[in-house]
Amino acid sequence: MQQQVHFQQGSENQVAFVFSCPGREEEKAGYPAAKMTGINLAKLFVVLNEMKMKDYHFTRERVTITNAWANVEYDAKTCRSEATNEEVLSPDNLNRLLAELAAVTELIVCCGQKARLAVQALAAENRLKAGTRVVYINHLGMKSINQITKDIHGEPIVAVAKHPDRFTLKPKEIGGANTHKRLEVVAAQIKKSLLGN
């Protein structure tokens, strides 16, 4: 399996996840989607697998994971946390991303704005494999995931500080349950795009 700090080739060609760019944690780990993003990705895979979509089994080893921008970006190293739109849309960068997504046959999941920008540019030029669907979701970092305010039933996700069980449950338990609810929303978006229902 080919693996770099920004890219990991999946053992199957059905699904790819595209993130923004590798940062400090990915540089340390040596692979894409590390630390909290990686933890949330693993939890999302669990939720997706619980949905029992025929012919799909989500694991880090099976899906391709890449980034809209290949270079490592974080404040202490590059004085920024991601690439500019112009860099993401540069022909060399789009050609690199296209090569990494060339084998993907079913679904490309764009996690965040830069991923959306890059993949939309490829789709607009009909450069993706015919029939490949694209879905746009929140980035899987906590800052972005926490912007999801309602669960899959449309009920509000109550913050830890205002949760009715805050005096009987540990904040970590409430926070974990809230993250799970948010990831269920993301999983439902992916399922809808993948199965067309």
Side-chain angles (χ1 to χ4, degrees), residues 62-117:
R62 290 184 182 198
V63 305
T64 292
I65 303 170
T66 189
N67 281 271
W69 180 246
N71 297 348
V72 174
E73 304 284 353
Y74 57 91
D75 286 339
K77 182 172 186 159
T78 60
C79 299
R80 63 185 191 171
S81 60
E82 59 187 1
T84 65
N85 289 352
E86 292 74 22
E87 288 169 324
V88 168
L89 293 173
S90 70
D92 285 349
N93 186 61
L94 289 178
N95 288 336
R96 183 262 323 156
L97 180 60
L98 181 63
E100 292 169 356
L101 297 174
V104 178
T105 59
E106 302 274 335
L107 182 71
I108 298 170
V109 181
C110 300
C111 305
Q113 303 259 341
K114 298 295 180 181
R116 179 183 194 125
L117 182 69

Side-chain angles (χ1 to χ4, degrees), residues 4-195:
Q4 301 169 44
V5 71
H6 81 280
F7 173 68
Q8 178 180 311
Q9 178 70 52
S11 62
E12 297 177 3
N13 294 324
Q14 291 175 309
V15 180
F17 279 72
V18 182
F19 290 89
S20 176
C21 68
R24 181 194 308 268
E25 299 302 336
E26 288 74 23
E27 184 176 59
K28 279 190 221 169
Y31 57 82
K35 202 68 174 185
M36 273 319 299
T37 298
I39 290 168
N40 285 339
L41 181 62
K43 289 177 180 177
L44 177 61
F45 287 162
V46 169
V47 175
L48 285 165
N49 290 328
E50 287 171 353
M51 292 178 164
K52 298 192 187 320
M53 290 179 278
K54 188 179 177 206
D55 299 328
Y56 294 99
H57 188 74
F58 294 86
T59 66
R60 183 179 271 275
E61 294 73 29
R62 290 184 182 198
V63 305
T64 292
I65 303 170
T66 189
N67 281 271
W69 180 246
N71 297 348
V72 174
E73 304 284 353
Y74 57 91
D75 286 339
K77 182 172 186 159
T78 60
C79 299
R80 63 185 191 171
S81 60
E82 59 187 1
T84 65
N85 289 352
E86 292 74 22
E87 288 169 324
V88 168
L89 293 173
S90 70
D92 285 349
N93 186 61
L94 289 178
N95 288 336
R96 183 262 323 156
L97 180 60
L98 181 63
E100 292 169 356
L101 297 174
V104 178
T105 59
E106 302 274 335
L107 182 71
I108 298 170
V109 181
C110 300
C111 305
Q113 303 259 341
K114 298 295 180 181
R116 179 183 194 125
L117 182 69
V119 174
Q120 275 183 335
L122 293 174
E125 296 173 2
N126 293 315
R127 296 176 74 189
L128 300 175
K129 193 175 284 277
T132 304
R133 290 174 290 267
V134 178
V135 63
Y136 307 104
I137 65 170
N138 289 49
H139 192 283
L140 295 178
M142 291 309 297
K143 184 176 178 183
S144 183
I145 282 291
N146 286 339
Q147 293 174 13
I148 298 170
T149 59
K150 294 188 177 177
D151 67 17
I152 56 172
H153 308 292
E155 296 295 321
I157 298 173
V158 182
V160 174
K162 295 181 180 180
H163 200 280
D165 296 328
R166 67 186 177 278
F167 301 112
T168 56
L169 295 176
K170 293 180 180 172
K172 202 168 188 173
E173 290 176 286
I174 298 169
N178 283 350
T179 297
H180 184 79
K181 289 176 184 177
R182 291 179 172 110
L183 291 173
E184 284 180 327
V185 172
V186 173
Q189 289 176 290
I190 293 170
K191 181 179 179 181
K192 183 177 181 182
S193 188
L194 200 49
L195 302 182

